[in-house]
Amino acid sequence: MITGNDFYKVMCAMVPLYFAMMVAYSSVKWWKIFTPEQCSGINRFVAVFAVPVLSFHFISLNNPYQMDTKFILADTLSKVVVLVLLSLWAIFFNGSLDWLITLFSVATLPNTLVMGIPLLKAMYGDFTQSLMVQVVVLQCIIWYTLLLFLFEYRAATLLIQSKFPGSAAASITKFELDNDVISLDGRDPLRTESELDDNGRTIRVRIRRSTSSAPDQSTLSPSIAITPRASNLSNAEIFSINTPVQLLPHDASFGHADLAIGYRSVSPRLSGYASSDAYSLQPTPRASNFNELETTTATTAANTPVWTRSPVAGRIFRQTSPTFSGVKLMWDSPGKSCTQGERQGYKDVVVAGKEISFRESTKIEMPEEEADTKGAAPTVQEMPHAFVMMRLILIVVGRKISRNPNTYSSILGLLWSLISFKWNIGMPNLVKYSIKIISDAGLGMAMFSLGLFMALQPRIIACGKKRATMGMAIRFLSGPIIMSATSVAVGLRGVELHAAIVQAALPQGIVPFVFAREYGLHPDILSTGVIFGMLVSLPVTLLYYIFLGL
């Protein structure tokens, strides 16, 4: 039976975390203390230092030789069951890989590090901290890697479908990636170079970043200098001042007669962050600042090209002078998610009915050509050999993981705990207290960062009420039900069973949302799961706690 003292202990553990979140939310939404630039800097500290050090701190204190085998088996089995059921649905009931990834993320990957450890410790005692740390280690090393693998497989499939439609891809025997290609997520324009055999079939493909990802700076106004940057370290920001927004007349307030640059504190899009969060950094270097600036030339000579943002979000068009009215250049944004039939990067240049391609010889279909092709039977898409695809995906996954600070913190923490508890070696006080001073701020800063993220969003429920309801039901009902079934199946009983169920009812994890945003796959659903789920998770977990204690 849950007593008033038990309830008070839980509130003492959780209210300070929500207090930090609400202070951050208020400081941006109502008090206007922090600008988007400052929010980005705060989040960068949290992502690069606070949370990785916090992970190292918890993992290094956990004894890996005393892991609870049944608890870990129950957690692993629940995720495997969900993945198998979704796979069967996708194969036999015409499901899609897109929804398989999203539903798996929502159902099985909660926010264990930030919310799970303090909540379960207050509910069921200190021993649950060790259980939660074990879950965190498996999430970071196994399940997030698997999720990243699925996202990269999807991105590779879309890339192959767009570049090698039909049976052209079946003969590919090798993919080669340039060193600066970190991911196939489409955030950076990619180009492919093919090597053909004697029969004209593609056998080798080189994937590289497009060298023409930004317009020639010589055509831009001299009032602004755009400096290319190779990387933003590790894509730490969940919010960024560089989110493209539609340029309005009142945004031209920087004093340059020939330039208007608009920044707004709240983006009209889904969110105002880049592509990562405070708990896992999955990097994608950006080649240039140009695609993130809202620029337009207000006063130019009669025959000077003008750069403007198109009404379609994320695209830049070059409006030419009457002298070159027969030429039209069109760029696709690297941040735009490609769907089947779309192409990344540059389209062709049409000059008086002729085509000149920057990247490939594929022609843009004109309206009359589209009409001719409507009646044609759909082409069956063939893919390269499974080994070729596996090698490609493993390369990009390895590159992304190697740039993730949380990867290093988890592995180093695990290695130190293996050494420390094996030979009873204590960490030197100089190192111990240096880590402690940052890790102590980790939980509070993580919640503060979430509050900033919430304040910068235009809507708390970004995906609509129907999808939000579906997401909450999967997160807070289906997840705990499956976890309870697998826990009972492996023989978990008593307090450990209760802890397993409550852990499955924690709010949505941040890392799946980061991946969804990077790869353009249902980010609105995951964003709603993070924000709205954080608000409703406390009463929901309290209800589970009370119900299980009866």
Side-chain angles (χ1 to χ4, degrees):
M1 183 68 182
I2 305 301
T3 64
N5 185 51
D6 295 331
F7 181 79
Y8 181 74
K9 287 172 57 179
V10 174
M11 297 305 294
C12 286
M14 299 309 298
V15 168
L17 296 179
Y18 279 88
F19 176 77
M21 185 178 71
M22 293 310 300
V23 167
Y25 181 88
S26 303
S27 64
V28 174
K29 197 73 171 181
W30 299 317
W31 304 333
K32 310 298 181 184
I33 295 176
F34 297 110
T35 64
E37 298 96 322
Q38 293 167 338
C39 292
S40 180
I42 294 171
N43 182 70
R44 195 172 192 83
F45 165 77
V46 173
V48 178
F49 294 107
V51 172
V53 172
L54 178 67
S55 300
F56 175 85
H57 174 71
F58 280 130
I59 295 172
S60 64
L61 295 178
N62 180 62
N63 189 346
Y65 301 103
Q66 296 180 356
M67 296 182 67
D68 192 313
T69 307
K70 288 185 177 181
F71 189 90
I72 295 302
L73 182 60
D75 180 75
T76 302
L77 187 59
S78 68
K79 292 176 172 60
V80 171
V81 167
V82 172
L83 188 59
V84 169
L85 291 177
L86 291 175
S87 300
L88 293 175
W89 167 74
I91 295 172
F92 297 107
F93 297 94
N94 200 27
S96 67
L97 177 62
D98 292 5
W99 280 107
L100 182 151
I101 296 173
T102 299
L103 294 177
F104 176 75
S105 302
V106 173
T108 63
L109 299 174
N111 191 348
T112 307
L113 176 63
V114 176
M115 292 289 293
I117 292 177
L119 179 63
L120 272 296
K121 185 176 179 180
M123 287 181 174
Y124 298 111
D126 293 340
F127 81 96
T128 57
Q129 176 174 315
S130 175
L131 299 179
M132 295 302 102
V133 170
Q134 294 167 26
V135 172
V136 168
V137 172
L138 292 180
Q139 280 186 349
C140 292
I141 297 178
I142 297 178
W143 298 112
Y144 290 156
T145 303
L146 174 62
L147 189 63
L148 182 60
F149 184 92
L150 293 175
F151 275 110
E152 286 293 345
Y153 174 78
R154 172 182 175 271
T157 302
L158 294 176
L159 179 65
I160 292 172
Q161 288 175 351
S162 65
K163 302 299 181 184
F164 307 98
S167 61
S171 59
I172 298 175
T173 59
K174 186 178 182 180
F175 286 98
E176 296 180 353
L177 284 84
D178 283 6
N179 292 331
D180 58 352
V181 177
I182 309 299
S183 174
L184 305 178
D185 58 12
R187 287 176 50 83
D188 286 321
L190 299 177
R191 59 178 298 180
T192 58
E193 297 175 358
S194 304
E195 178 182 333
L196 308 180
D197 62 8
D198 295 336
N199 297 323
R201 296 178 304 177
T202 302
I203 59 174
R204 182 177 297 176
V205 176
R206 179 185 178 187
I207 302 176
R208 57 187 300 183
R209 291 174 64 187
S210 174
T211 57
S212 305
S213 60
D216 186 2
Q217 295 185 22
S218 63
T219 62
L220 295 178
S221 167
S223 300
I224 182 170
I226 299 176
T227 304
R229 62 186 182 199
S231 172
N232 59 350
L233 181 62
S234 53
N235 273 3
E237 306 91 5
I238 48 176
F239 8 75
S240 169
I241 63 169
N242 295 324
T243 301
V245 295
Q246 184 180 358
L247 188 65
L248 298 177
H250 64 266
D251 288 322
S253 58
F254 279 72
H256 295 293
D258 60 343
L259 179 65
I261 301 178
Y263 288 118
R264 284 210 289 269
S265 60
V266 179
S267 169
R269 303 192 314 168
L270 170 64
S271 70
Y273 48 86
S275 61
S276 194
D277 70 21
Y279 315 109
S280 177
L281 311 180
Q282 301 298 337
T284 306
R286 294 194 288 263
S288 169
N289 291 339
F290 183 84
N291 290 333
E292 298 174 336
L293 290 176
E294 295 296 329
T295 62
T296 182
T297 305
T299 60
T300 58
N303 293 330
T304 302
V306 179
W307 296 99
T308 60
R309 178 73 61 177
S310 78
V312 182
R315 292 188 178 179
I316 297 176
F317 291 83
R318 184 180 182 184
Q319 299 176 349
T320 57
S321 65
T323 305
F324 302 98
S325 59
V327 181
K328 180 175 69 174
L329 308 183
M330 182 172 68
W331 280 262
D332 275 358
S333 167
K336 181 178 181 295
S337 174
C338 293
T339 57
Q340 185 172 354
E342 293 181 332
R343 300 184 181 276
Q344 294 177 331
Y346 285 87
K347 297 295 185 183
D348 295 339
V349 182
V350 181
V351 184
K354 298 181 179 181
E355 60 171 17
I356 303 175
S357 176
F358 282 104
R359 294 179 51 191
E360 54 192 23
S361 60
T362 305
K363 186 177 179 182
I364 298 178
E365 290 187 287
M366 302 305 290
E368 58 271 15
E369 294 174 335
E370 293 177 357
D372 295 338
T373 58
K374 282 182 179 178
T379 304
V380 177
Q381 176 66 48
E382 296 187 25
M383 301 298 291
H385 192 272
F387 176 78
V388 178
M389 289 290 292
M390 180 72 68
R391 181 180 179 275
L392 170 65
I393 296 168
L394 288 177
I395 290 174
V396 291
V397 169
R399 289 182 180 182
K400 296 201 75 169
I401 290 176
S402 66
R403 289 163 173 81
N404 184 351
N406 278 314
T407 300
Y408 296 104
S409 66
S410 299
I411 294 176
L412 290 175
L414 183 59
L415 289 176
W416 173 255
S417 64
L418 289 170
I419 296 172
S420 175
F421 289 97
K422 178 68 174 180
W423 290 287
N424 196 25
I425 300 174
M427 186 178 294
N429 287 336
L430 184 65
V431 178
K432 177 180 178 181
Y433 291 116
S434 297
I435 293 174
K436 187 176 184 297
I437 196 171
I438 297 180
S439 65
D440 285 347
L443 283 177
M445 289 301 299
M447 294 300 292
F448 193 88
S449 181
L450 279 175
L452 298 177
F453 167 68
M454 292 173 57
L456 291 175
Q457 305 312 301
R459 292 181 299 171
I460 292 180
I461 301 179
C463 62
K465 296 180 180 179
K466 183 177 180 180
R467 287 190 172 184
T469 302
M470 178 191 71
M472 294 301 104
I474 294 174
R475 173 70 266 154
F476 296 115
L477 293 177
S478 299
I481 290 173
I482 295 174
M483 185 65 182
S484 62
T486 56
S487 299
V488 171
V490 300
L492 210 60
R493 298 291 186 272
V495 177
E496 290 187 347
L497 174 62
H498 298 172
I501 296 174
V502 174
Q503 182 265 338
L506 293 171
Q508 177 64 51
I510 312 295
V511 177
F513 160 67
V514 174
F515 290 160
R517 181 64 183 90
E518 280 192 13
Y519 294 89
L521 180 60
H522 304 139
D524 52 346
I525 296 178
L526 275 298
S527 173
T528 302
V530 171
I531 299 175
F532 190 66
M534 187 66 68
L535 298 177
V536 303
S537 65
L538 182 57
V540 169
T541 51
L542 284 175
L543 287 176
Y544 274 108
Y545 179 54
I546 295 172
F547 175 76
L548 293 171
L550 294 178

